[in-house]
Amino acid sequence: MRLVVFSGAGISADSGLATFRDSDGLWAQYRIEDVCTPEALARDRDAVIHFYNIRRKELLSKEPNPAHYAVKELEQYYDVEVVTQNVDNLHERAGSTKVLHLHGEMTKARSSLNPDLIVDIGYRAIEAGEKAPDGSLLRPHVVWFGEPVPMMEQAKKIVLRADILIVIGTSLHVYPAAGLIKYAPGNIPVFLIDPDEITYSERDVVMIREKATCGMELLRDILMEMLATEPAKKVEQTEPEQMPLSVQPVDDDISMPATIVFGDIHGLTFWKKVVSENPGYRFVFLGDYLDPYGYIETEQLMNNLKEIIQLKKDRPDDVVLLLGNHDLHYFCSDMVPSSRFDFLIAEEASALFRENIHLFVYAYQVDNCIFTHAGISEEWFLYDFKGDATKNIAEQLNNPTPEQELSLCRCGEARGGEPGAFGGIFWADVSELYEPLPGYTQVVGHNRVNDVCDHANNGGRIIFCDCLFYEKMLSIGQLSHKASCIDRE
Ligand code: APR
């Protein structure tokens, strides 16, 4: 399992290095604009170089603390990668083997002209007028305010692949670094260690309000317990205990044209092969085209969506595109932003959806079979959406009144919404679908499953097929005669 540690100045505070923003921090003694910007270097080079010379010398007298060593020790159990905002080398000196410095390194200097021309200077001072090998003035190898953060892309990739994320000793004030957490898969545990209250509302985090040393000790016990009880299993796939899902392939006929259903896409491209190998089928995409779990290049992510849209344009009658909560949050202000919302693609994604919105629907229905992104509970449909169960359901969902629109976007209690609320067709959690709308077979994504599986109760039935991640799709209808699970392999 991959464990990622995202650290800030607080982890080195226990070694005696000042943080930046605490009351006794560096920014209480210095002004950022005097020592930590390219303009400051241009204005008063000596003062800036002197500031870093002092700090480099100070670093020599400091030692890694038990928190740094605890991070290193986790390598015995996990594939540990450290992404640090710190320019000190205490993680490396504690023995951590994979450390990525987002903001540079104190023991290195670089050319003023070429950011890639970096030289090791150890703990010595940079002399007045000292030159880099290319003849330009040598400057500290530190990312200053207003400068690009070249390691950011690499850091994103690391966080995107995490199975566990530990955030330690950072105020999360400085972007883009502070935005890294949103790249963590939505279903992994995130631990935040800091003696101060750190407000992070974009996802669930386990807050450990302790200094780094004590916090890492507590966390080590938690991690050891997790390893003992669930070896090599992601915390992700736990479903609420009360949910009586029968995890079996669907094995009876559904009367409809031969149809293949793709669960939440999240940048995955398996659909292309399946589409080309299955002429004569209808294809239903259950939505969530963006916000990938694993690492997928932004370009591939956006191109995949464009290709899906093109498929719909080329074969309008054979292709149905639904929208999911991870799509709507890019262009619908009533939508609660979901995990992994990517601000970097927001503008492009929003424009793409708006331009092609006529190609998407909220719901699709063939006789008594209804497709939505997350599912329709009886409770939500009758009492929140206030639908009419005697009329065509998809038509009502696709043509909501303004009040019904709010209801469609409802996030239920199980996913962080109002107490007592049931999620609408973009958010319904598996635990809110215990009593599906009676009289219908529903096909839904949104709740990750390892395999196509179904749940029948209340005179209704739901087939869950958000398992594209495991390269599995649902096939129903006439060509196959049976509803079954297609395993791409
Ligand atoms: N253990 C753990 N955390 C601590 C401790 C400690 N002993 N002492 C303080 N902290 C916490 C503080 O409560 C605060 O939340 O560490 C955090 C330090 O925050 P900042 O000083 O803002 O440092 P950081 O988040 O790393 O700053 C980010 O800002 O100035 C720039 O480039 C610099 O990389 C730095 C970036």
Side-chain angles (χ1 to χ4, degrees):
M1 283 178 96
R2 294 194 181 95
L3 185 147
V4 175
V5 176
F6 174 42
S7 65
I11 194 170
S12 298
D14 288 354
S15 296
L17 287 173
T19 61
F20 297 97
R21 290 171 187 77
D22 286 310
S23 55
D24 55 351
L26 280 172
W27 301 148
Q29 302 165 48
Y30 298 87
R31 285 172 6 126
I32 288 176
E33 50 276 41
D34 287 344
V35 289
C36 207
T37 64
E39 292 77 22
L41 186 75
R43 216 172 31 242
D44 191 348
R45 187 170 191 279
D46 288 348
V48 174
I49 298 291
H50 181 63
F51 172 77
Y52 285 98
N53 283 346
I54 293 175
R55 298 194 56 220
R56 199 174 303 107
K57 192 169 168 200
E58 182 191 24
L59 178 57
L60 181 58
S61 65
K62 304 297 178 192
E63 295 295 333
N65 65 58
H68 293 106
Y69 287 112
V71 170
K72 151 70 188 158
E73 273 158 31
L74 289 174
E75 290 189 12
Q76 289 174 43
Y77 311 99
Y78 298 96
D79 178 3
V80 178
E81 294 195 65
V82 177
V83 175
T84 186
Q85 297 168 87
N86 299 342
V87 292
D88 68 50
N89 55 5
L90 298 181
H91 278 298
E92 287 93 335
R93 280 163 56 190
S96 281
T97 52
K98 293 187 205 162
V99 184
L100 182 137
H101 287 270
L102 270 178
H103 293 163
E105 290 173 74
M106 186 57 80
T107 54
K108 292 180 178 164
R110 71 173 194 233
S111 145
S112 306
L113 293 177
N114 176 3
D116 296 326
L117 184 53
I118 298 163
V119 288
D120 245 310
I121 56 167
Y123 298 95
R124 73 169 178 81
I126 296 177
E127 302 298 337
E130 188 174 343
K131 302 258 173 57
D134 63 358
S136 71
L137 286 171
L138 205 56
R139 58 162 274 185
H141 176 46
V142 168
V143 173
W144 285 323
F145 286 91
E147 293 190 314
V149 184
M151 288 300 168
M152 195 59 196
E153 282 305 307
Q154 216 172 311
K156 275 191 218 168
K157 287 185 196 177
I158 292 172
V159 174
L160 276 161
R161 291 192 313 246
D163 295 309
I164 297 174
L165 176 65
I166 301 171
V167 180
I168 178 165
T170 170
S171 58
L172 297 176
H173 276 15
V174 174
Y175 282 81
L180 263 185
I181 304 179
K182 78 179 162 64
Y183 292 93
N187 45 13
I188 68 162
V190 176
F191 299 94
L192 221 147
I193 301 176
D194 201 291
D196 272 5
E197 180 82 46
I198 302 289
T199 315
Y200 193 77
S201 56
E202 291 186 30
R203 64 173 293 151
D204 284 344
V205 296
V206 180
M207 179 82 212
I208 300 178
R209 258 192 95 173
E210 295 287 351
K211 289 185 171 180
T213 300
C214 176
M216 276 307 294
E217 218 174 289
L218 289 172
L219 182 55
R220 189 176 44 205
D221 292 346
I222 297 172
L223 293 175
M224 290 307 112
E225 207 165 297
M226 275 168 64
L227 275 178
T229 51
E230 283 195 275
K233 182 165 170 261
K234 289 189 191 181
V235 170
E236 153 207 347
Q237 287 136 10
T238 51
E239 271 147 18
E241 271 173 24
Q242 75 277 18
M243 187 60 193
L245 274 181
S246 54
V247 186
Q248 290 154 9
V250 181
D251 62 1
D252 53 335
D253 290 329
I254 294 175
S255 159
M256 66 183 301
T259 301
I260 290 174
V261 185
F262 299 108
D264 305 18
I265 307 296
H266 291 306
L268 300 171
T269 55
F270 306 129
W271 62 270
K272 291 190 205 177
K273 192 159 183 278
V274 176
V275 167
S276 70
E277 286 173 356
N278 291 281
Y281 273 79
R282 179 175 294 181
F283 300 101
V284 179
F285 290 73
L286 292 177
D288 277 3
Y289 304 93
L290 303 175
D291 304 341
Y293 281 103
Y295 182 68
I296 290 176
E297 298 277 353
T298 304
E299 201 182 338
Q300 180 193 321
L301 187 70
M302 296 305 292
N303 283 344
N304 194 40
L305 173 56
K306 286 175 193 162
E307 285 179 63
I308 291 171
I309 289 173
Q310 192 56 48
L311 180 73
K312 170 70 181 168
K313 287 180 179 167
D314 295 342
R315 299 176 59 178
D317 297 335
D318 300 337
V319 176
V320 177
L321 303 185
L322 298 185
L323 287 162
N325 55 312
H326 285 273
D327 308 315
L328 278 171
H329 68 173
Y330 284 107
F331 62 95
C332 170
S333 55
D334 290 332
M335 200 66 180
V336 179
S338 316
S339 53
R340 309 193 306 283
F341 180 87
D342 188 345
F343 294 94
L344 300 178
I345 62 165
E347 207 177 319
E348 191 188 354
S350 168
L352 189 59
F353 279 121
R354 285 174 194 279
E355 200 178 298
N356 294 288
I357 200 64
H358 58 287
L359 303 173
F360 293 86
V361 287
Y362 297 152
Y364 173 61
Q365 181 169 353
V366 181
D367 298 329
N368 279 4
C369 189
I370 308 172
F371 300 74
T372 59
H373 175 66
I376 310 167
S377 65
E378 182 179 33
E379 169 78 23
W380 173 80
F381 184 78
L382 294 182
Y383 304 111
D384 188 339
F385 183 73
K386 299 193 172 55
D388 182 343
T390 64
K391 295 193 176 139
N392 182 291
I393 305 296
E395 248 170 51
Q396 296 175 67
L397 297 173
N398 285 327
N399 301 288
T401 63
E403 297 79 56
Q404 285 179 321
E405 250 170 47
L406 285 177
S407 165
L408 280 183
C409 294
R410 181 92 59 231
C411 177
E413 181 175 2
R415 298 268 180 149
E418 294 284 306
F422 274 58
I425 56 168
F426 303 110
W427 275 109
D429 184 74
V430 68
S431 61
E432 294 160 352
L433 294 167
Y434 181 66
E435 298 196 329
L437 188 66
Y440 295 92
T441 291
Q442 297 187 47
V443 179
V444 307
H446 188 64
N447 287 285
R448 177 78 75 85
V449 284
N450 297 332
D451 212 334
V452 171
C453 57
D454 79 330
H455 163 63
N457 188 26
N458 196 39
R461 175 183 180 208
I462 300 205
I463 303 174
F464 293 93
C465 42
D466 176 14
C467 46
L468 194 62
F469 187 77
Y470 302 105
E471 306 190 14
K472 294 186 174 159
M473 308 121 219
L474 173 74
S475 160
I476 42 179
Q478 277 161 14
L479 281 187
S480 64
H481 296 293
K482 281 192 164 190
S484 59
C485 173
I486 296 184
D487 190 332
R488 203 176 72 89
E489 295 306 307

